[in-house]
Amino acid sequence: MVLGETMDQAEARTRLLDAAEQLFYERGIQAVGVDQIRAASGVSLKRLYQVFPSKADLVLAYLRRRDTRWLASLADFAHARPAGDERILAVFDWLHAWFAEPDFRGCAFINAFGEIGASDPAAAEVVRAHKAALRDYLAGLLRQAGRPDGLLDPLFLIAEGAITTAAITGSPEVALRAREAAAALLATAA
């Protein structure tokens, strides 16, 4: 009996998403086939297709789960800091720690959009929703700090630019430069 045939649907889903997240983020969505995910997860092909009828369904689930985890990790880190500017700047401290992780490959959402955004409107929408959620999170931090709304777009672009630049350069130090830029932006609006 294949291991995947003995596990329930919830366990199979978790194993499949764990494998998909690791493989898609490391190698790219188009480079990873369903057979690779099946093999890495230990889930039978039959169970895989019961849980995710298509690779596109698996990709959407992967992106949605990553969105939830990524934003929760950022919020947990930032909210451990004092409210105000320190909490805003904590975003860049969190980015620095993320960029320094040995498996950092840039933004999974930008990567997915670059690979399949033009051909998969549902995936493109999940990517847009993730970016909107990050922007909304930053807006909330600015409101809590009593900062003007006019800082939102520059702050968001500093964060997004840092993520992209870190992916290209491989340097976590980009987050420190972005933090300096965000601090200067906050100082000019004081």
Side-chain angles (χ1 to χ4, degrees):
M1 182 173 283
V2 175
L3 175 65
E5 293 174 348
T6 64
M7 67 182 70
D8 68 15
Q9 193 153 339
E11 182 183 355
R13 180 180 176 80
T14 298
R15 285 177 176 234
L16 289 164
L17 286 172
D18 289 347
E21 184 165 6
Q22 191 265 324
L23 293 170
F24 287 158
Y25 186 65
E26 179 183 297
R27 300 180 193 168
I29 292 169
Q30 293 179 332
V32 174
V34 172
D35 282 342
Q36 292 169 297
I37 293 167
R38 184 205 52 76
S41 68
V43 174
S44 72
L45 195 58
K46 178 181 176 183
R47 175 63 81 178
L48 184 154
Y49 282 115
Q50 288 172 341
V51 177
F52 297 107
S54 70
K55 182 179 176 183
D57 292 324
L58 179 58
V59 168
L60 291 176
Y62 147 69
L63 290 171
R64 288 181 181 127
R65 186 174 83 157
R66 187 158 180 108
D67 169 66
T68 299
R69 289 177 167 189
W70 193 93
L71 291 168
S73 177
L74 172 60
D76 289 348
F77 182 91
H79 281 83
R81 300 288 179 87
D85 287 358
E86 275 307 305
R87 194 168 285 169
I88 295 167
L89 295 174
V91 168
F92 298 93
D93 297 333
W94 183 86
L95 289 175
H96 182 259
W98 178 40
F99 298 167
E101 291 176 2
D103 65 343
F104 175 71
R105 302 285 182 272
C107 176
F109 301 92
I110 292 171
N111 296 347
F113 191 83
E115 278 194 79
I116 63 172
S119 62
D120 188 337
E125 185 52 40
V126 173
V127 170
R128 288 184 189 101
H130 171 76
K131 295 304 179 181
L134 174 58
R135 190 175 185 282
D136 290 346
Y137 178 72
L138 292 172
L141 292 179
L142 288 168
R143 273 193 305 278
Q144 291 169 9
R147 294 307 205 137
D149 292 341
L151 296 177
L152 177 56
D153 285 334
L155 188 66
F156 176 71
L157 292 172
I158 291 169
E160 284 296 316
I163 294 168
T164 302
T165 303
I168 293 168
T169 65
S171 173
E173 302 307 307
V174 169
L176 302 179
R177 302 299 75 78
R179 188 186 202 282
E180 292 169 1
L185 176 70
L186 294 169
T188 62

